[in-house]
Amino acid sequence: MRCDDALGAIDSNGFNFDLARPDSRISHQAGTQYWSSQPASVSGMLGGIPQVSKVDLQGSKNFFAKMQRRTALGKRRRGSDEGIPSGIKSNDTPQKAGVTNGEKNGEAGEETKNGESSRTLPIERAADCGAGIGRVTLGFLSTIATTIDIVEPIAKFTEEISTGEPFAFLRAENRVGTIQNKGLESWNPKSNTYGLIWHQWCLGQLTDTELIAYLKRAKRGLKEDGWIGVKENVIGGEFDDFDATDSTVTRCLKSWRQMFAEAGLKMEMEEVQKGFPRGLFAVRMWALRPV
C-alpha cells in the first residue's frame, strides 16, 4: 500500500480508497471471488464454525417471538391493527402452510419437516437477503413465513435451494418464491410486498452510501407496518474495521445506528445474540420500521 496524499491511498491491486473511511475499500468483485471459493455448506457459510448455527437460528426465532408479543401488546392497547407488522395477522386473515414444528439438524441447518396438519404462519411473504445456501430460510424463515424470496449473488449457493433435497418440501408447497442472483447493491424490492426483509451477515459487503440507499429501497418494499430485520457483527469501540479477506466492513454500534437513522428507519427492538463462543464478534439483532 502507498499513500497518494493525506486523504487517500492505493492498495497493492491499484484500488483507490479513503484512509478515513474503511468502507471505501470494499470491492464487490473481490467479495464475489471470495464467496465463490467457499464450499456450499453450513461450514462454508459460517467461516468454519458450523456449531453456532443451531444457537444462531434459535436466537433469531426468540427475537421474532418477542417482536410478535410486543406488537400484539401494542395492538391490544390501541384496540386496532394500527402499528402491527403486516406479517402478524388477525385471526380473520390467517396464512396457512403445510408444515409442523418438527425439526432436525441437517446439512443446510435446522429443517422444518412437512407434516399432515397445517398451522398458521405470521408472515405472508419474507425475503432472505444474502441467503447463501438457505440456512436461515430453512431453519428460521420457513417457520414464520408462507413464502420466502431469495436474494443471493452466488449461483452455486442458491442451487442448494432450487434443487437440494432439504428444500424439497418447501418447493413442493410453492413456498420458495423468486430466486435472484444479485447483490443487495443492485436489488430493488418490489413495492408493498414484504412483511419481513431479513438480513444476516451480508450488509458489511455494502459501502455506507450503498447501505443507506439500499435500506431506503428496502423500506419501500415493505407492506404497511412490515419490518426490516438486521443481524450483523458489531465491533467494539467507535471505529469501523475493513477485512481484506472477504472485502467487508465490520461496523461499530454507532455506525449501525447512524446508517439506520439516515435511511429513515427507527429501531423498534435491539438485542444481542447470546450463546456464541468466546473470541467472536458481538452479534446484534435489530427490528426496524420506517419513521
Side-chain angles (χ1 to χ4, degrees):
M1 169 192 313
R2 74 175 189 272
C3 289
D4 267 12
D5 52 44
L7 296 178
I10 299 178
D11 66 13
S12 58
N13 296 316
F15 184 78
N16 289 281
F17 62 92
D18 185 344
L19 287 172
R21 295 179 56 240
D23 68 296
S24 69
R25 300 182 64 182
I26 291 174
S27 164
H28 296 306
Q29 180 180 3
T32 298
Q33 289 175 347
Y34 169 80
W35 284 109
S36 296
S37 71
Q38 300 305 300
S41 66
V42 172
S43 181
M45 299 300 98
L46 296 178
I49 317 175
Q51 62 270 26
V52 305
S53 184
K54 186 174 182 179
V55 67
D56 164 63
L57 294 170
Q58 189 59 53
S60 299
K61 292 175 183 177
N62 293 346
F63 183 71
F64 179 78
K66 291 176 184 178
M67 185 64 185
Q68 281 186 292
R69 289 196 294 270
R70 177 170 175 168
T71 52
L73 177 61
K75 176 182 174 181
R76 288 196 296 272
R77 285 175 175 172
R78 287 186 297 270
S80 72
D81 284 340
E82 181 184 353
I84 306 303
S86 62
I88 301 174
K89 303 289 184 178
S90 302
N91 289 334
D92 58 347
T93 56
Q95 297 295 324
K96 296 288 187 177
V99 295
T100 69
N101 285 318
E103 296 176 344
K104 70 176 182 181
N105 291 331
E107 177 59 19
E110 292 187 347
E111 179 181 352
T112 306
K113 296 295 290 180
N114 190 18
E116 294 180 358
S117 62
S118 64
R119 64 187 180 92
T120 300
L121 296 179
I123 297 289
E124 182 179 356
R125 194 176 200 96
D128 186 355
C129 299
I133 62 170
R135 181 187 68 90
V136 172
T137 285
L138 198 60
F140 166 44
L141 295 178
S142 67
T143 69
I144 65 170
T146 304
T147 304
I148 305 103
D149 290 341
I150 305 297
V151 185
E152 165 57 49
I154 310 301
K156 76 172 184 178
F157 293 161
T158 58
E159 287 177 3
E160 297 294 315
I161 303 170
S162 60
T163 64
E165 179 60 29
F167 294 87
F169 78 98
L170 290 176
R171 295 194 303 270
E173 297 171 353
N174 295 317
R175 295 182 59 203
V176 177
T178 63
I179 297 179
Q180 301 184 59
N181 292 125
K182 59 175 60 179
L184 295 180
E185 70 278 3
S186 60
W187 185 50
N188 190 17
K190 185 178 178 181
S191 297
N192 192 33
T193 299
Y194 297 104
L196 170 64
I197 303 178
W198 184 262
H199 313 81
Q200 183 162 346
W201 292 322
C202 62
L203 297 181
Q205 299 172 27
L206 303 181
T207 67
D208 291 355
T209 300
E210 289 173 335
L211 176 55
I212 293 169
Y214 164 69
L215 289 174
K216 289 179 178 179
R217 296 195 304 273
K219 187 171 58 173
R220 293 193 294 269
L222 296 177
K223 285 189 172 182
E224 185 178 2
D225 298 321
W227 56 290
I228 291 172
V230 172
K231 188 171 187 177
E232 293 283 352
N233 293 339
V234 179
I235 193 169
E238 296 186 358
F239 299 98
D240 302 342
D241 182 67
F242 176 75
D243 187 345
T245 303
D246 57 359
S247 195
T248 60
V249 161
T250 303
R251 293 180 168 90
C252 66
L253 184 57
K254 179 181 178 181
S255 289
W256 280 117
R257 290 174 175 173
Q258 181 180 345
M259 297 297 102
F260 301 150
E262 291 191 26
L265 295 166
K266 60 182 177 180
M267 296 181 292
E268 292 282 352
M269 280 184 59
E270 181 178 19
E271 186 172 297
V272 176
Q273 168 72 51
K274 298 178 181 178
F276 278 5
R278 291 181 180 271
L280 299 180
F281 281 118
V283 174
R284 284 187 182 246
M285 295 171 279
W286 291 275
L288 308 169
R289 294 183 60 202
V291 173

